[in-house]
Amino acid sequence: MSMSTPHTIDVVIMAAGKGTRMKSRLPKVLQRLAGVPLVQHVLNTAAQLNARSAVVITGHGADQVEPLVLAPGQLLAVQCVRQEPQLGTGHAVQQAVPVLPDDGVVVVLSGDVPLTQADTLQALIAQCGGNQLALLTIDFADPAGYGRIVRKGEAVQAIVEHKDASDVQRQINEVYSGIMAVPARLLKIWLARLDNQNAQGEYYLTDVVKFAVADGVPVVAHKIADALQVAGINSPVQLAELECAHQHRLAIQFMEQGVRLKDPARFDVRGQLVCAQDVEIDVNCIFEGQVSLCEGVKIGANCIIANCTIAAGAVIHPFTHIDGEKLGVSVGEGARIGPFARLRPGAQLGAEVHIGNFVEVKNSTMAKGAKANHLAYLGDATVGERVNYGAGSITANYDGANKHRTVIEADVHIGSNCVLVAPVTIGAGGTVGGGSTITKSTEPGALSVARGKQISIANWTRPAKKPKA
Ligand code: UD1
Ligand code: MG
């Protein structure tokens, strides 16, 4: 069959193992890398292969793993099959046999190997060609613990597990990655022949190689050099190392696109980050969910930015926290945010808006040029152009039962330490005196003052201490 023949792909993801060394209540495949559960990375890769289906083999922690992988929003059809007890990788794949169609190519993946690239698997599938057994392999300087690729000449003869290997076989540096592509109808025949007569008393998936050889089916190895793509996670140390390596790769990719990172070792993306030209990012910033940075955006040090679009030329000063969650946050062109600002879901800031230190904005729109520079809260507010919102002022948007809106029309000046009790509208061009608690809407152009009137007593003598007796 030619290399270019398209094959129908069904993916089997082994995810039943215990992950003892994680020492966690959370199943290993639900641990997160770059903010995404390990098994979800594998499902995303499967989706990129345009696989017809994915079968996830669950066992340990199945009650937690299954709801995640079966949740709506997967980009391919996912089903789960339980493996109880866990008698080895061959036994794991045997559980999938009843739900695997015969006409496809099966790609076997592990739920704890998150960074395999789709193009690598495409190359492996091409090697399988719909009628051969293709193994993904790699040379390791220290191959201890892995299954060795035993060849006669060039031809692959067997995979021998480390514990079963002879001293001579243990010298082999080429190891099996745990990933194979195999025609379903052949896989099923070979799985039926597995036994557990080996050092670990397990049903080894890797024994299919010797059956292929016995049946005269060619076994091909697709060897890669990139260890990250086959790295499995067994412990918190390995998880952190892979996170680090992955983030470094992402950082390099962004810099190659022209993004200027102050330090690629202090940059974390836990979601989808899109950057236009001339974006600058200082150290220790974390990007989560969907974030889009338009041309010339500058992000100061120590910012956390999630689910947000930042328009061209905006500057986010250090220590700013933005999370749009489901509603999103948008920051307008040339806006200045922070330092120490907090933008919450539904904050929609227009061009040239200024948000200063210790200002919180939630579910509010601010039109062009509006400013809230110090110690303030804007919740459920509609703020007009050029409004100046004074230090320490808040919208009292919650009456204990319901939320209400505050409307501040264009060119209003709100003094310091005001409370705007919603629902309330401050008419265009109006002024609110410092320290006012505003409970009634005001007319355009009006000065509103709502506070105790000042009195001054002239030449007042302070009380003095009585002399001691
Ligand atoms: C396996 C390969 C070995 C290869 C190595 C690469 C076999 C027999 N050996 O070894 O050749 O070099 O991977 O990492 O396949 N799992 C189940 N059910 C089970 C056992 C395992 O779902 O009963 C899952 C595990 O959760 C894991 C994956 O299968 O995701 C691999 O299992 P693991 O025990 O790590 O395989 P190794 O012994 O490392
Ligand atoms: Mg094992």
Side-chain angles (χ1 to χ4, degrees):
M1 211 175 282
S2 87
M3 298 277 281
S4 60
T5 308
H7 301 288
T8 306
I9 309 299
D10 296 295
V11 168
V12 172
I13 302 173
M14 298 184 292
K18 189 153 185 210
T20 313
R21 283 189 278 156
M22 287 306 302
K23 299 185 180 166
S24 170
R25 287 187 205 282
L26 192 66
K28 178 165 72 171
V29 296
L30 297 188
Q31 306 285 342
R32 285 168 190 267
L33 182 117
V36 174
L38 298 178
V39 68
Q40 187 61 51
H41 281 275
V42 182
L43 284 165
N44 293 348
T45 308
Q48 285 178 49
L49 293 177
N50 293 317
R52 164 172 59 187
S53 71
V55 183
V56 181
I57 313 296
T58 60
H60 282 286
D63 293 342
Q64 294 173 72
V65 176
E66 290 174 1
L68 179 115
V69 302
L70 296 174
Q74 295 292 0
L75 298 169
L76 79 176
V78 179
Q79 45 190 329
C80 290
V81 175
R82 293 240 178 152
Q83 183 201 17
E84 271 158 355
Q86 290 82 37
L87 303 178
T89 53
H91 181 252
V93 179
Q94 280 174 348
Q95 311 310 306
V97 166
V99 301
L100 277 177
D102 287 331
D103 63 340
V105 165
V106 176
V107 177
V108 178
L109 302 170
S110 287
D112 58 358
V113 180
L115 296 181
T116 319
Q117 286 168 206
D119 58 354
T120 300
L121 297 178
Q122 294 288 15
L124 183 74
I125 292 159
Q127 295 262 297
C128 162
N131 55 6
Q132 310 193 116
L133 172 57
L135 309 171
L136 189 66
T137 70
I138 186 163
D139 285 332
F140 279 157
D142 176 12
Y146 292 90
R148 306 298 205 284
I149 303 295
V150 178
R151 295 177 186 253
K152 191 189 264 173
E154 271 302 290
V156 176
Q157 292 297 299
I159 300 173
V160 179
E161 292 304 304
H162 182 87
K163 286 186 177 145
D164 299 285
S166 66
D167 287 345
V168 173
Q169 286 168 336
R170 286 186 182 180
Q171 303 300 310
I172 299 171
N173 292 102
E174 188 182 7
V175 304
Y176 172 53
S177 66
I179 294 171
M180 65 171 66
V182 51
R185 74 198 147 77
L186 296 175
L187 177 66
K188 289 184 182 186
I189 292 166
W190 297 331
L191 286 174
R193 290 196 220 159
L194 294 180
D195 63 45
N196 62 354
Q197 303 304 301
N198 52 54
Q200 302 185 81
E202 289 181 8
Y203 294 87
Y204 290 165
L205 178 61
T206 44
D207 279 351
V208 301
V209 174
K210 68 184 184 203
F211 300 138
V213 171
D215 289 354
V217 174
V219 181
V220 288
H222 177 62
K223 200 200 278 190
I224 60 169
D226 179 7
L228 272 195
Q229 290 198 48
V230 298
I233 287 164
N234 297 298
S235 66
V237 170
Q238 287 173 348
L239 182 59
E241 284 171 352
L242 207 57
E243 174 82 36
C244 222
H246 176 61
Q247 293 297 346
H248 189 71
R249 253 185 209 187
L250 288 178
I252 300 290
Q253 284 168 17
F254 279 107
M255 290 189 292
E256 281 171 352
Q257 280 168 36
V259 175
R260 293 194 287 282
L261 300 179
K262 200 54 97 183
D263 181 358
R266 287 179 288 170
F267 166 75
D268 286 272
V269 179
R270 301 175 189 163
Q272 300 297 316
L273 173 65
V274 177
C275 294
Q277 202 165 26
D278 285 314
V279 165
E280 293 182 23
I281 301 174
D282 209 329
V283 300
N284 290 336
C285 292
I286 300 174
F287 299 89
E288 296 177 80
Q290 304 286 326
V291 175
S292 173
L293 307 181
C294 300
E295 189 164 338
V297 164
K298 289 188 173 66
I299 310 286
N302 302 301
C303 290
I304 297 177
I305 298 182
N307 302 303
C308 174
T309 298
I310 301 180
V315 178
I316 312 296
H317 290 293
F319 296 99
T320 291
H321 186 282
I322 301 177
D323 190 354
E325 296 176 25
K326 290 204 170 76
L327 280 178
V329 163
S330 60
V331 174
E333 269 187 43
R336 299 276 177 276
I337 311 296
F340 297 101
R342 179 165 185 219
L343 304 182
R344 292 176 50 206
Q348 300 196 323
L349 312 185
E352 288 149 50
V353 162
H354 289 190
I355 298 294
N357 42 222
F358 308 107
V359 175
E360 173 182 351
V361 183
K362 185 216 75 169
N363 194 32
S364 293
T365 59
M366 295 180 72
K368 186 175 178 187
K371 295 185 174 74
N373 272 324
H374 329 265
L375 302 162
Y377 176 57
L378 281 157
D380 304 303
T382 303
V383 179
E385 293 189 2
R386 297 172 300 278
V387 164
N388 196 311
Y389 192 78
S393 291
I394 67 155
T395 56
N397 55 326
Y398 184 52
D399 61 14
N402 298 297
K403 301 269 171 69
H404 301 282
R405 281 202 87 77
T406 300
V407 178
I408 305 172
E409 293 180 351
D411 299 301
V412 162
H413 182 97
I414 307 281
S416 295
N417 239 29
C418 294
V419 180
L420 307 179
V421 182
V424 72
T425 297
I426 311 299
T431 301
V432 175
S436 294
T437 295
I438 300 292
T439 56
K440 289 182 298 226
S441 293
T442 67
E443 288 303 311
L447 166 66
S448 305
V449 183
R451 63 182 184 227
K453 232 187 176 119
Q454 179 173 335
I455 54 167
S456 296
I457 299 170
N459 301 322
W460 187 61
T461 312
R462 274 193 299 247
K465 264 194 178 158
K466 284 186 186 135
K468 275 189 188 144

